[in-house]
Amino acid sequence: MFSSCFLPVFLLFSATATGAEAVITASRGETVLLPCPSLFDYRDTVSVKWEKDGESGLCGYRIINNKTSDHVCNPRFKVNADPIGLIITDVRGSDAGVYNCSMSRMIPPPTVEDFSVLILQVNVSASLMVQQVNISNQHCVELLCSLEGLSPEQVNFTWTRESEQLLHQNNPSNMSSTLTLCKPHWREGDTFTCQASYSSNHTLYSKSITIKSSNKGGTEISWLLIGSAIGASVGVLFIILLCVVIYKCKKKENASDPIVFSNKVYENLTSFTARPTVEPGTGLSTRTNPRPNPQGANQTQREECIYEN
């Protein structure tokens, strides 16, 4: 009687502490939801972190008043609000694995931990994919080779260019390999071949890729140079136009100044010119007739002199 009463309580506590595994199956290219139900009250503040195959940093967010915030997730992984969970878009074979959703209630204290475990299975046919990864360094090239559609097993990758074997980095957790080369160790038009040997069935998969011209960086640099040239030309034209406007304004100000005439002082000079007379006994028989003066003999002759300051 005693054991039968406390058995359900023990099972409930065990499920909460260890989490319950759920298996979700999806096909390649689909969108799948990985639920992460919370046992906490909707008013609590909960921190949620997702891991895949023991690797952290897949996705993280907070739940406050049953709403999510502060999303930090890898590409193709999005947070779903209702029901709370993680959405994976464009499912790939490499997405298959074990996912762990860890929850920590921070408010109200004390901190309480909870988690749930999900297994994602992806139905894809076995295939080897090789793709060029976009990186910021335009002088380097990065190639990714991944084996999809098979259960995680020991895979041996090799990279070759013609008959030359190249050093690479393997990632056994998702059965992939990365090849990174920087100039002058690669050039446009080079063909690289990735081979993957699957240990379970001893099958060899092979696929090649040719490095194509990537004009993205060059186009960005060209547009940057063109924009700089246009900006410099506009700046020079603006300066020239500004100088012309200033010159015309100065010239207009000088032309509109009031005309100042020099002061002129008129000075009247009055001189007396004596009327010519004949001395007695000079013996002159010719009589000098002075120039008639209509205003009288005593009228003074006016001379005007103009002085300019």
Side-chain angles (χ1 to χ4, degrees):
M1 180 71 180
F2 177 81
S3 59
S4 62
C5 292
F6 285 90
L7 182 58
V9 178
F10 174 78
L11 293 177
L12 176 62
F13 175 78
S14 176
T16 304
T18 60
E21 292 186 1
V23 178
I24 299 177
T25 303
S27 298
R28 182 177 176 180
E30 292 182 346
T31 298
V32 63
L33 170 65
L34 304 181
C36 183
S38 174
L39 300 179
F40 303 116
D41 190 270
Y42 74 94
R43 292 168 295 184
D44 297 342
T45 299
V46 181
S47 175
V48 182
K49 294 181 180 179
W50 282 86
E51 297 179 356
K52 177 181 179 292
D53 297 330
E55 297 182 3
S56 60
L58 180 66
C59 187
Y61 53 91
R62 288 176 180 266
I63 302 176
I64 303 176
N65 293 329
N66 217 27
K67 296 182 180 179
T68 62
S69 62
D70 302 334
H71 301 173
V72 180
C73 301
N74 291 347
R76 298 191 304 109
F77 292 84
K78 299 179 180 179
V79 179
N80 192 63
D82 187 19
I84 297 295
L86 188 66
I87 293 179
I88 306 177
T89 59
D90 188 19
V91 173
R92 303 172 183 175
S94 58
D95 294 330
V98 179
Y99 290 80
N100 189 328
C101 175
S102 300
M103 293 166 284
S104 299
R105 189 191 69 181
M106 299 180 296
I107 299 176
T111 301
V112 179
E113 303 287 340
D114 189 16
F115 68 93
S116 61
V117 179
L118 303 97
I119 300 176
L120 177 62
Q121 296 178 349
V122 181
N123 296 327
V124 294
S125 59
S127 62
L128 187 66
M129 295 185 61
V130 181
Q131 58 183 335
Q132 183 174 347
V133 181
N134 292 329
I135 56 177
S136 58
N137 191 348
Q138 298 296 327
H139 299 284
C140 298
V141 63
E142 182 174 323
L143 302 177
L144 176 63
C145 180
S146 57
L147 184 61
E148 297 187 349
L150 297 172
S151 301
E153 297 284 349
Q154 180 64 34
V155 181
N156 183 26
F157 288 94
T158 57
W159 285 90
T160 58
R161 176 174 49 190
E162 296 179 352
S163 59
E164 176 189 6
Q165 288 195 359
L166 305 171
L167 296 177
H168 57 278
Q169 182 179 0
N170 290 335
N171 190 354
S173 62
N174 56 7
M175 296 192 299
S176 66
S177 175
T178 302
L179 175 66
T180 304
L181 295 175
C182 294
K183 289 185 176 180
H185 300 291
W186 72 276
R187 60 183 179 181
E188 297 173 359
D190 284 350
T191 299
F192 298 91
T193 301
C194 174
Q195 291 182 339
S197 177
Y198 190 58
S199 60
S200 180
N201 54 11
H202 304 285
T203 304
L204 181 64
Y205 301 88
S206 178
K207 195 167 186 178
S208 300
I209 185 173
T210 301
I211 304 301
K212 298 181 180 180
S213 175
S214 178
N215 296 325
K216 183 179 180 180
T219 303
E220 292 179 353
I221 295 175
S222 301
W223 279 111
L224 181 61
L225 294 176
I226 293 174
S228 301
I230 293 176
S233 302
V234 172
V236 172
L237 291 177
F238 178 76
I239 293 175
I240 294 175
L241 181 62
L242 183 62
C243 292
V244 171
V245 171
I246 293 175
Y247 172 76
K248 290 192 176 246
C249 289
K250 289 291 184 182
K251 189 174 180 181
K252 185 176 180 181
E253 288 179 1
N254 294 335
S256 61
D257 287 342
I259 300 175
V260 179
F261 294 96
S262 301
N263 296 330
K264 295 182 180 181
V265 178
Y266 295 86
E267 183 177 353
N268 297 332
L269 299 179
T270 304
S271 62
F272 297 91
T273 304
R275 190 174 182 176
T277 57
V278 178
E279 294 290 338
T282 56
L284 294 176
S285 59
T286 304
R287 187 176 180 179
T288 303
N289 294 327
R291 185 176 181 179
N293 187 357
Q295 297 183 4
N298 295 329
Q299 181 69 33
T300 60
Q301 182 177 353
R302 177 176 297 175
E303 295 183 3
E304 294 181 355
C305 295
I306 302 174
Y307 300 90
E308 181 175 354
N309 294 336

